[in-house]
Amino acid sequence: MLPNYNNSLELLESVQQEQLYQKLLMQLKKDFELANVPINLPLDIAPEELKSIIHEKIYFLIVEKFPEYLNLLYVVDISENEIKRIAPSDVVDISAEVSFLLLKREWQKVWYKAKYSR
């Protein structure tokens, strides 16, 4: 069973402990590519930097390219109900929350593949 995380950095630390960080990066690259959203994620990126890049990208999509943002949410498979639960506030806070949901969902995909593909 996947543990419950409070924030993106806590989640990313757990991913590193499970030694699945590289697979998470690959999953992120794959889904961003499927959504036609270019993102540069080097394989040696630090978790703090990854969190920052994802947050910046989500912020940019919300402000500048909303249809691409919605497409990314669809490709990653973030439920509409989770998005609706985000308290209305400024775009920076909303994009931080969405970034956490995105990382959490991608981590679920990687974790399930690792656990059940053996």
Side-chain angles (χ1 to χ4, degrees):
M1 173 79 79
L2 273 167
N4 199 11
Y5 302 103
N6 297 316
N7 60 52
S8 298
L9 286 177
E10 191 178 288
L11 181 145
L12 291 170
E13 286 172 10
S14 175
V15 171
Q16 282 189 308
Q17 288 171 358
E18 299 261 350
Q19 298 180 342
L20 293 170
Y21 187 69
Q22 296 298 316
K23 291 186 190 255
L24 177 67
L25 289 175
M26 299 304 286
Q27 184 68 46
L28 285 163
K29 284 182 176 192
K30 176 182 152 196
D31 284 347
F32 271 81
E33 193 174 294
L34 282 171
N36 254 351
V37 176
I39 191 164
N40 182 21
L41 296 176
L43 290 177
D44 61 347
I45 190 169
E48 297 83 16
E49 194 177 349
L50 174 64
K51 176 187 172 281
S52 176
I53 288 174
I54 299 287
H55 184 199
E56 288 172 21
K57 182 60 84 171
I58 297 297
Y59 176 84
F60 171 76
L61 291 173
I62 290 172
V63 172
E64 301 283 330
K65 298 186 172 207
F66 200 73
E68 287 86 345
Y69 163 74
L70 294 176
N71 190 40
L72 179 65
L73 295 181
Y74 176 77
V75 167
V76 174
D77 190 28
I78 297 174
S79 84
E80 190 176 331
N81 288 335
E82 287 188 84
I83 297 296
K84 286 180 180 177
R85 277 190 227 125
I86 296 174
S89 60
D90 70 345
V91 180
V92 174
D93 292 339
I94 292 170
S95 58
E97 287 289 324
V98 171
S99 299
F100 177 54
L101 291 175
L102 183 138
L103 286 169
K104 196 162 59 169
R105 179 64 185 119
E106 295 288 46
W107 169 230
Q108 287 174 340
K109 293 178 186 182
V110 168
W111 188 84
Y112 283 117
K113 283 179 191 170
K115 182 166 174 71
Y116 294 111
S117 67
R118 294 181 184 144

